[in-house]
Amino acid sequence: MSRHTDYSSLEQIQTTGAAAPKPLLTLSDAVALIVGIVIGAGIFQTPALVASQAGSDIAVLLLWLAGGLVSIVGALCYAELATTYPNVGGVYYYLKRAFGQKIAFLFAWARLTVIQTGSIALLAFVFGDYASEILRLGTFSSSVYATVVIVLLTILNIVGLQQGKWTQNLLTVAKVLGLLLVVVFGLGATANSVAPIESTPPGSWGLAMVFVLLSYGGWNEAAYISAEIQNRQRNIVRSLVWSIGIITAIYLLINLAYLRGLGLANMAESSAVAADLMRTIWGTPGALFISVLIAICTLGAINATIFTGARTNYALGQDFTLFGFMGSWRQLPSTPGTALLVQGAIALALVLLGTFTRKGFETMVDYTAPVFWFFFLLSGISLLILRRKEPHILRPFRVPFYPVTPLLFCAVCGYLLYSSVVYTNVGAVVGVLVVIAGVPILFWNRYRQGKA
């Protein structure tokens, strides 16, 4: 077999002349997409939790810097996989080559029903909460906003790649400028209280890292645009490094602003640290500004998550006849239209679930976390397996310090998997059961294919 041979579903489509993904995304588009996914609501919620565990100003900043370094380690692993196996299915395709179709199917099923759709619903609830602070729409205001934003952004992405990416670019620019404005005002303020909190017990830094890495989550979505990015051999690596560098710098600056404007004690005790900072500086208009900024941040994250999520559903439809209806790619505009519709419908169903539980955000965190970290761990292991299984394949980028780098990445994923199981509730059980429900569907699909 030639070292360049790659029987991906994408290449088979291109050979037959059918509609397929096109390399239309530039480096700046990819950076905007990754930054847009990662900087969502987390940076407005988790800094107080990190501060309560850290024990000192320096420790807070070191924890956020460590989160960026861990993300870079993971990004280097993903860069090798994405440049070696560029495919619209992303992690689905890596798992298929490393573990076979059964594991790959369960991942795609989990992404369709739990990981990506749950993330869309989670972010939509955050948007609804803060949009309701600006204009309330009755008893179920948050759910109404969540529903509307999922419908509108799904339609926007179905309309076409160009519309979706320009919306993403504008939202990312708006959120970065807004955050930098918070940084400027925060650094210019004088803290009301700078008294340090009491020392935290041993092991609390580990819990703090759980919250830090939650806020850094999402850079892995670069894997799903590897077939649509221009000059992928260079731009995949560059987009990951640039985006994580930008995110780390923003996170360090925003936490420095929190510490300067509120002091560590007040920061650790705050339930809405950004709103408290701006309320201290500007009063009620400052709190309103933060609500608008968080709404913009979550809009960008929702749009980017919708954009990348449908790519796995498309790959699933290419490989499994039972889901063949999702395996079509629209030529004009260049989008996986049906996959986007299915994803949107499931996300809306999860919004309904969150509405009934009356804890939309918390329910979605519990629902997605253990499943996400389990498959994230498998993606790291797949790099180790594929190095041994396919040693002669051309690798445009090789992760440095192999195998230490991927082993470190796997260790972090294993720890976060353990932590997500320990700290989540009944929602995690529901998420795991939904993934297990994919097993009989897998065998039913094989039965149908066997009879065909």
Side-chain angles (χ1 to χ4, degrees):
M1 181 183 296
S2 168
R3 65 187 293 185
H4 300 289
T5 302
D6 180 2
Y7 296 108
S8 70
S9 58
L10 171 60
E11 289 179 340
Q12 291 172 3
I13 296 166
Q14 291 171 333
T15 301
T16 60
K22 300 175 183 178
L24 300 176
L25 298 175
T26 64
L27 173 62
S28 59
D29 293 332
V31 171
L33 195 69
I34 297 168
V35 172
I37 290 176
V38 175
I39 303 181
I43 193 58
F44 300 103
Q45 295 177 323
T46 57
L49 301 172
V50 174
S52 68
Q53 301 293 325
S56 71
D57 292 16
I58 295 298
V60 169
L61 298 176
L62 286 176
L63 283 163
W64 286 98
L65 178 61
L69 294 175
V70 169
S71 298
I72 286 288
V73 169
L76 292 173
C77 297
Y78 265 64
E80 176 171 328
L81 290 167
T83 54
T84 306
Y85 309 102
N87 188 276
V88 73
V91 175
Y92 166 80
Y93 186 62
Y94 316 150
L95 296 180
K96 184 170 70 171
R97 292 189 77 119
F99 298 101
Q101 280 202 332
K102 293 178 183 177
I103 295 295
F105 171 84
L106 288 178
F107 168 75
W109 170 254
R111 192 168 164 86
L112 172 65
T113 58
V114 178
I115 299 172
Q116 205 72 359
T117 45
S119 296
I120 293 168
L122 181 153
L123 290 165
F125 273 119
V126 174
F127 173 80
D129 289 341
Y130 282 93
S132 297
E133 292 295 318
I134 303 168
L135 177 63
R136 190 156 191 86
L137 302 177
T139 305
F140 299 103
S141 179
S142 180
S143 298
V144 172
Y145 276 115
T147 300
V148 170
V149 76
I150 290 172
V151 170
L152 290 180
L153 291 179
T154 297
I155 292 172
L156 185 66
N157 278 274
I158 290 173
V159 168
L161 175 62
Q162 295 297 325
Q163 289 78 5
K165 79 170 188 178
W166 279 111
T167 300
Q168 187 59 48
N169 292 350
L170 290 171
L171 289 171
T172 299
V173 169
K175 76 167 64 177
V176 170
L177 290 177
L179 284 168
L180 291 178
L181 190 60
V182 174
V183 168
V184 169
F185 281 105
L187 293 179
T190 301
N192 292 331
S193 173
V194 293
I197 59 175
E198 295 181 2
S199 299
T200 53
S204 60
W205 272 43
L207 178 58
M209 280 302 296
V210 172
F211 299 126
V212 168
L213 290 175
L214 174 66
S215 299
Y216 274 98
W219 54 261
N220 53 295
E221 296 299 300
Y224 302 97
I225 59 173
S226 60
E228 297 173 83
I229 190 171
Q230 299 169 2
N231 191 13
R232 69 172 68 99
Q233 293 185 0
R234 291 184 58 200
N235 284 344
I236 288 175
V237 181
R238 292 167 68 193
S239 66
L240 282 165
V241 173
W242 270 104
S243 58
I244 293 175
I246 291 170
I247 293 160
T248 303
I250 291 173
Y251 281 4
L252 286 172
L253 286 171
I254 197 73
N255 276 276
L256 192 60
Y258 290 154
L259 289 167
R260 174 66 179 169
L262 294 173
L264 183 62
N266 289 338
M267 182 180 172
E269 295 170 1
S270 174
S271 59
V273 63
D276 286 346
L277 172 64
M278 296 306 293
R279 187 178 289 110
T280 299
I281 299 169
W282 277 358
T284 302
L288 180 61
F289 167 79
I290 280 296
S291 295
V292 174
L293 176 59
I294 294 175
I296 292 172
C297 286
T298 49
L299 271 179
I302 295 165
N303 186 68
T305 306
I306 288 172
F307 182 96
T308 58
R311 272 63 185 165
T312 308
N313 303 339
Y314 164 76
L316 178 67
Q318 285 290 309
D319 288 344
F320 294 88
T321 56
L322 194 61
F323 297 93
F325 58 93
M326 293 193 297
S328 59
W329 195 281
R330 300 174 68 197
Q331 183 69 36
L332 292 173
S334 181
T335 58
T338 307
L340 281 163
L341 284 174
V342 173
Q343 176 181 261
I346 295 174
L348 290 175
L350 292 177
V351 168
L352 190 62
L353 171 65
T355 302
F356 282 134
T357 63
R358 298 183 182 276
K359 292 183 178 181
F361 180 83
E362 294 87 344
T363 300
M364 290 302 104
V365 170
D366 292 350
Y367 183 68
T368 58
V371 177
F372 170 80
W373 286 110
F374 173 72
F375 284 107
F376 214 34
L377 173 60
L378 287 187
S379 69
I381 295 173
S382 71
L383 173 58
L384 298 167
I385 292 176
L386 289 171
R387 275 283 191 108
R388 293 180 59 87
K389 190 176 180 181
E390 301 175 353
H392 302 299
I393 196 168
L394 178 64
R395 298 178 187 275
F397 174 81
R398 288 177 173 266
V399 63
F401 308 112
Y402 181 89
V404 174
T405 305
L407 287 174
L408 178 60
F409 174 60
C410 291
V412 172
C413 291
Y415 174 73
L416 269 295
L417 172 60
Y418 164 78
S419 299
S420 64
V421 171
V422 169
Y423 296 115
T424 51
N425 298 307
V426 67
V429 177
V430 177
V432 172
L433 289 176
V434 170
V435 175
I436 293 173
V439 175
I441 295 175
L442 170 63
F443 285 106
W444 173 246
N445 181 82
R446 293 183 66 185
Y447 171 75
R448 286 189 57 183
Q449 287 181 324
K451 291 187 67 177

